[in-house]
C-alpha cells in the first residue's frame, strides 16, 4: 500500500469506527447491518485494509452516512474544491485504470461525482446499489460498454447513458476509456 492509500485507509478506518461508536453499535451489529464480515470491519477500522467500493458502499449505507463522508476530508465551508489529483482512488484496475471519487454531497440525498479511467481490457463489475439509486455517465475519451441488468450499451466519446444503479451493472473497455460518472443515492440513512 503506497503512502496516499495508507493515509486514506487510516482516515476511512477512523470514520467507520466513529460512526459505529456514535450509534452504540458493536462490530457484530455493524457486520449484520452491512453484510460485511466482522474480520473485514476490524481490518478497515485499524486502517489495515484498502476495502473495495462494494465494501465501502455496504458500510456507508449501513451507517447511514453516504460514501463521501467516509473518504473525503471534512469541510465546513459552503463550497469545497477538490484539486486535480486529490480525489480518493477507490478502485484500481489490473492494467492501470482507476475509479476516483472527486466530490460528493452529504446525506440524506447523496450525489457522488467520479472520474473513471479504464485501461484496455479492463472491466469493473458493480453490485446493485440501494433502491432508487440512479447513475449518469458520459464518455470523455475512448469507447466502452456498460452492461445494466444484462443489457449491453456501446458508448463512444461524447456519448452519455442514464440508468438505474440499483440493478447489477458493469463498465468495460477493450481499447481504453475515460468517463465521468454521477451517482445519486436518495435517502441515505433514512
Amino acid at each position: 500500500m503506497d503512502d496516499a492509500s495508507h493515509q486514506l485507509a487510516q482516515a476511512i478506518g477512523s470514520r467507520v469506527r466513529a460512526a459505529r461508536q456514535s450509534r452504540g453499535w458493536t462490530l457484530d451489529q455493524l457486520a449484520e447491518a452491512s453484510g460485511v464480515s466482522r474480520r473485514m470491519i476490524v481490518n478497515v477500522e485499524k486502517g489495515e485494509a484498502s476495502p473495495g467500493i462494494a465494501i465501502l458502499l455496504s458500510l456507508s449505507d449501513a451507517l447511514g452516512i453516504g460514501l463521501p463522508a467516509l473518504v473525503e476530508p471534512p469541510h465546513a465551508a459552503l463550497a469545497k474544491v477538490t484539486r486535480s489529483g486529490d480525489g480518493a482512488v477507490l478502485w484500481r484496475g489490473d492494467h492501470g485504470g482507476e475509479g476516483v471519487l472527486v466530490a460528493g454531497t452529504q446525506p440524506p440525498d447523496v450525489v457522488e461525482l467520479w472520474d473513471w479511467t479504464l485501461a484496455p481490457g479492463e472491466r469493473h463489475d458493480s453490485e446493485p446499489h440501494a433502491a432508487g439509486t440512479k447513475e449518469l455517465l458520459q464518455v470523455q475519451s475512448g469507447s466502452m460498454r456498460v452492461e445494466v441488468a444484462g443489457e449491453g450499451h456501446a458508448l463512444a466519446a461524447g456519448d452519455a447513458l442514464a440508468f438505474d444503479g440499483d440493478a447489477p451493472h458493469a463498465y468495460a473497455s477493450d481499447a481504453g476509456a475515460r468517463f465521468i460518472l454521477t451517482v445519486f443515492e436518495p435517502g441515505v440513512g433514512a
Side-chain angles (χ1 to χ4, degrees), residues 1-14 43-51 70 89 92:
M1 193 180 318
D2 62 29
D3 190 46
S5 295
H6 178 71
Q7 287 177 354
L8 180 59
Q10 293 286 312
I12 289 169
S14 68
N43 289 338
V44 167
E45 286 191 1
K46 288 182 176 180
E48 296 174 354
S50 288
L70 287 183
V89 179
R92 291 188 195 276

Side-chain angles (χ1 to χ4, degrees), residues 28-112:
D28 290 328
Q29 287 171 312
L30 179 54
E32 183 176 333
S34 66
V36 175
S37 75
R38 183 183 192 281
R39 183 80 214 130
M40 175 56 82
I41 295 170
V42 168
N43 289 338
V44 167
E45 286 191 1
K46 288 182 176 180
E48 296 174 354
S50 288
I53 296 170
I55 289 173
L56 291 173
L57 283 170
S58 295
L59 291 172
S60 65
D61 286 349
L63 292 167
I65 59 176
L67 185 59
L70 287 183
V71 301
E72 288 187 342
H75 62 285
L78 294 177
K80 179 187 176 293
V81 174
T82 302
R83 299 287 177 207
S84 179
D86 287 346
V89 179
L90 299 180
W91 177 80
R92 291 188 195 276
D94 292 337
H95 305 293
E98 292 183 331
V100 182
L101 181 63
V102 294
T105 63
Q106 300 299 311
D109 295 323
V110 175
V111 179
E112 303 165 3

Side-chain angles (χ1 to χ4, degrees), residues 18-26 29:
R20 176 181 61 79
Q21 290 173 342
S22 75
R23 284 157 182 72
W25 286 3
T26 65
Q29 287 171 312

Side-chain angles (χ1 to χ4, degrees), residues 119-140:
E122 284 185 329
R123 176 184 175 97
H124 172 71
D125 291 290
S126 181
E127 304 225 356
H129 303 299
T133 298
K134 304 293 183 195
E135 298 196 21
L136 303 169
L137 71 78
Q138 184 184 36
V139 180
Q140 301 298 295

